[in-house]
Amino acid sequence: MLVNSFSLCYHNKLILAPMVRVGTLPMRLLALDYGADIVYCEELIDLKMLQCKRVVNEVLSTVDFVAPDDRVVFRTCKREQSRVIFQMGTSDAERALAVARLVENDVAGIDVNMGCPKEYSTKGGMGAALLSDPDKIEKILSTLVKGTHRPVTCKIRILSSLEDTLSLVKRIERTGIAAIAVHGRKREERPQHPVSCEAIKAIAETLSIPVIANGGSHDHIQEYLDIEDFRQATAASSVMVARAAMWNPSIFLKEGLRPLEEVMQKYIRYAVQYDNHYTNTKYCLCQMLREQLESPQGKLLHAAQSSQEICEAFGLGAFYEETTRELDARRAELLARTPEEAGDPAQDTSDVIKMAVKFDRRAYSPQITPKMCLLEWCRREKLAQPVYETVQRPLDRLFCSVVTVAEQKYQSTLWDKSKKLAEQAAAIVCLRSQGLPEGRLGEVSTSLHKRKWEAPDQDPGGPRAQEPAMPGELCKKPFVALGSGKESSLEGW
């Protein structure tokens, strides 16, 4: 049996609850700023994590766990290392242990979600589905306690009867876990149902390990002082806050709630500094705005289609530009030190036509993209469809693409955040070198107006939507990660 090399105290703590799409790095850091002692990441599924590779991101000074499709599944940094809890969704002890060993050197603790009632969690026997299988619970927790160097916890809901609930938590305690979080509602209950402080209190009085009370947002917790009232009402060791913290993370601040505008601006700064995907940033900000979504600022946020546009909506345009310049400079410095990783998608660049261009979606019609214009031109000229070859640079995981049209190669010298954006840039180079329309606002290209727009980017925070393939997509060569020597298809691209 391994001895936990790091001990995390769960007594008298303010804790940010695990929340899907909310508990990413910017929110966790913001909660720590405002006084949270411990922060949980969103529930991450074991099967997805086991596909990930651990990558040290020197540009952002983070550790990233990156899926085969290049989506960052979990990102963390040194500042939160001693206070972040990794919560997993699992229904298998061996998979759970494999995930724990993958992340244990970068987190403070390991938690198993046994309380989420949503179908995406329960359909695989995870989350609240585990509550009906105490044997499996015991096996998962015992395996983790014996096999990882970090303290192990779990988060549950109460059962249909108090007697059954107490029987289960006593069995859970015997596995050797460090603490247990209890959401004081049953599996079938939702936020509109009252939380059972009495059930949490009975559990706290029965167990010797710390009990973390959860479920008090809105009805019990609306400001900082309410957190202690909820703790006393449940006799718990600590309190875990979910929705109240999602609405305003400064709920953890002893001095009281900060103005929402200030909180959102601080959140946006973290999102930009740590390259959070704009759709996730936008989602979290919408949860904070709530009833103000129809305000002028809310409408600007709703219309934003990039991190830059979000910043501009909140008066942070200059901050975005300055931070982008700093990250680009850091990236250039690192590449100068490791020129072998600079990479180039074309092995022989002597015959490649190059320009320094990027695809800025704001400059183009919502229904038309440069790739569509190029494909349409090739059809009219009875040429073969464009062929895109894309590579990814290991150091910063940026993309660059070369498009071949009529045996001539075209490439942008600027690397981009996604494969789609890199391909659009390559198409722009080809179109501009031929003096052809590229779909910019104000250009006339009547033959394309009825064609479906191909979205240049997609939300990494959830399952990828199935997109209809454009005709030109059928001619793409496989995506190649530089330095890997392997080819892998990018699902959903």
Side-chain angles (χ1 to χ4, degrees):
M1 178 176 176
L2 296 175
V3 177
N4 286 340
S5 60
F6 177 83
S7 179
L8 185 65
C9 176
Y10 290 92
H11 287 282
N12 198 29
K13 300 298 181 183
L14 303 179
I15 302 173
L16 176 70
M19 290 179 280
V20 172
R21 296 193 70 185
V22 175
T24 47
L25 182 58
M27 180 63 79
R28 299 196 304 267
L29 293 178
L30 192 57
L32 290 174
D33 282 350
Y34 285 126
D37 300 299
I38 298 172
V39 291
Y40 279 58
C41 74
E42 59 180 330
E43 177 197 30
L44 296 170
I45 308 303
D46 55 3
L47 288 171
K48 174 61 74 174
M49 284 299 300
L50 290 176
Q51 298 175 25
C52 291
K53 180 174 67 173
R54 181 183 183 274
V55 177
V56 176
N57 189 326
E58 294 184 71
V59 176
L60 300 178
S61 299
T62 60
V63 173
D64 300 342
F65 291 84
V66 185
D69 62 2
D70 194 53
R71 182 165 66 90
V72 177
V73 177
F74 176 57
R75 170 169 286 162
T76 185
C77 65
K78 190 172 183 61
R79 182 177 163 225
E80 69 168 3
Q81 185 177 9
S82 63
R83 296 203 269 175
V84 62
I85 306 298
F86 181 89
Q87 188 189 68
M88 73 175 83
T90 186
S91 60
D92 180 84
E94 294 308 315
R95 287 203 305 266
L97 181 58
V99 172
R101 287 177 172 170
L102 176 67
V103 303
E104 66 179 353
N105 291 328
D106 301 298
V107 299
I110 305 294
D111 184 82
V112 179
N113 180 357
M114 299 182 180
C116 181
K118 300 295 181 65
E119 184 183 358
Y120 61 76
S121 187
T122 59
K123 67 182 178 182
M126 302 177 291
L130 286 170
L131 296 176
S132 58
D133 195 342
D135 290 340
K136 184 176 286 187
I137 288 177
E138 184 175 352
K139 184 175 182 182
I140 291 172
L141 294 178
S142 296
T143 300
L144 286 171
V145 169
K146 294 174 183 175
T148 181
H149 291 284
R150 291 292 179 259
V152 176
T153 58
C154 68
K155 184 172 182 286
I156 69 165
R157 284 186 170 231
I158 58 177
L159 303 182
S160 55
S161 75
L162 181 59
E163 182 181 1
D164 289 342
T165 303
L166 294 179
S167 176
L168 176 64
V169 296
K170 284 190 281 189
R171 189 170 178 180
I172 288 174
E173 182 180 38
R174 289 196 293 270
T175 65
I177 63 170
I180 182 170
V182 181
H183 185 131
R185 292 184 178 90
K186 299 172 185 175
R187 173 176 173 173
E188 65 275 12
E189 293 180 329
R190 294 298 180 266
Q192 64 267 27
H193 296 99
V195 63
S196 177
C197 294
E198 296 77 15
I200 301 176
K201 184 176 182 179
I203 294 170
E205 291 173 345
T206 299
L207 303 183
S208 59
I209 60 174
V211 171
I212 303 166
N214 176 232
S217 292
H218 191 270
D219 290 342
H220 293 268
I221 300 173
Q222 297 183 34
E223 59 182 13
Y224 177 83
L225 294 177
D226 297 335
I227 299 176
E228 175 59 20
D229 291 341
F230 184 59
R231 190 190 70 79
Q232 291 187 14
T234 58
S237 299
S238 298
V239 173
M240 175 182 282
V241 185
R243 289 176 299 144
M246 174 179 72
W247 297 328
N248 190 329
S250 67
I251 190 78
F252 297 110
L253 197 62
K254 290 181 180 180
E255 293 77 14
L257 290 168
R258 300 300 302 160
L260 195 58
E261 177 80 10
E262 173 189 314
V263 173
M264 290 191 294
Q265 286 199 358
K266 196 168 183 178
Y267 173 85
I268 292 169
R269 288 175 182 272
Y270 275 134
V272 173
Q273 288 168 347
Y274 288 99
D275 197 24
N276 201 47
H277 196 277
Y278 85 90
T279 54
N280 181 254
T281 302
K282 184 174 176 178
Y283 176 83
C284 292
L285 291 170
C286 285
Q287 305 313 304
M288 295 184 204
L289 275 177
R290 300 169 71 196
E291 66 275 3
Q292 298 179 44
L293 280 172
E294 293 302 316
S295 67
Q297 190 169 60
K299 290 178 180 178
L300 285 173
L301 173 63
H302 182 73
Q305 293 298 311
S306 67
S307 293
Q308 183 174 3
E309 291 180 18
I310 291 173
C311 286
E312 290 169 353
F314 286 83
L316 293 172
F319 169 79
Y320 176 85
E321 293 178 3
E322 179 184 354
T323 304
T324 301
R325 284 195 298 270
E326 290 175 357
L327 292 176
D328 286 344
R330 196 178 307 166
R331 189 176 290 114
E333 180 185 352
L334 290 168
L335 286 172
R337 279 192 262 145
T338 54
E340 69 278 2
E341 291 196 2
D344 200 300
Q347 294 181 351
D348 180 9
T349 62
S350 59
D351 62 340
V352 180
I353 295 176
K354 299 181 180 182
M355 296 181 190
V357 299
K358 280 198 172 189
F359 174 66
D360 182 352
R361 72 183 73 200
R362 295 177 297 178
Y364 293 81
S365 166
Q367 287 76 37
I368 301 174
T369 65
K371 285 180 66 177
M372 293 173 65
C373 292
L374 181 56
L375 177 61
E376 189 71 14
W377 180 75
C378 288
R379 284 173 171 166
R380 288 200 306 268
E381 299 296 316
K382 295 182 168 42
L383 299 173
Q385 294 181 0
V387 177
Y388 295 87
E389 300 174 71
T390 306
V391 297
Q392 183 188 27
R393 195 162 55 190
L395 177 67
D396 51 15
R397 303 198 330 279
L398 293 182
F399 294 85
C400 190
S401 185
V402 171
V403 62
T404 302
V405 177
E407 299 184 359
Q408 176 63 56
K409 297 180 183 294
Y410 304 86
Q411 171 194 344
S412 172
T413 57
L414 303 180
W415 292 67
D416 236 311
K417 290 183 179 180
S418 78
K419 183 172 181 282
K420 281 191 174 182
L421 293 175
E423 289 176 354
Q424 296 288 2
I428 291 172
V429 175
C430 179
L431 292 165
R432 290 185 183 177
S433 67
Q434 299 295 324
L436 298 169
E438 60 191 69
R440 293 179 70 87
L441 293 172
E443 287 183 350
V444 179
S445 183
T446 56
S447 62
L448 287 176
H449 280 299
K450 294 183 180 179
R451 294 189 179 275
K452 185 176 180 179
W453 175 53
E454 176 186 321
D457 214 337
Q458 203 169 6
D459 175 16
R464 291 182 180 270
Q466 294 298 313
E467 297 178 299
M470 292 297 298
E473 306 290 301
L474 302 177
C475 296
K476 287 185 188 176
K477 292 188 178 181
F479 157 72
V480 179
L482 286 174
S484 69
K486 298 179 181 178
E487 294 183 350
S488 63
S489 297
L490 277 185
E491 190 178 317
W493 288 103

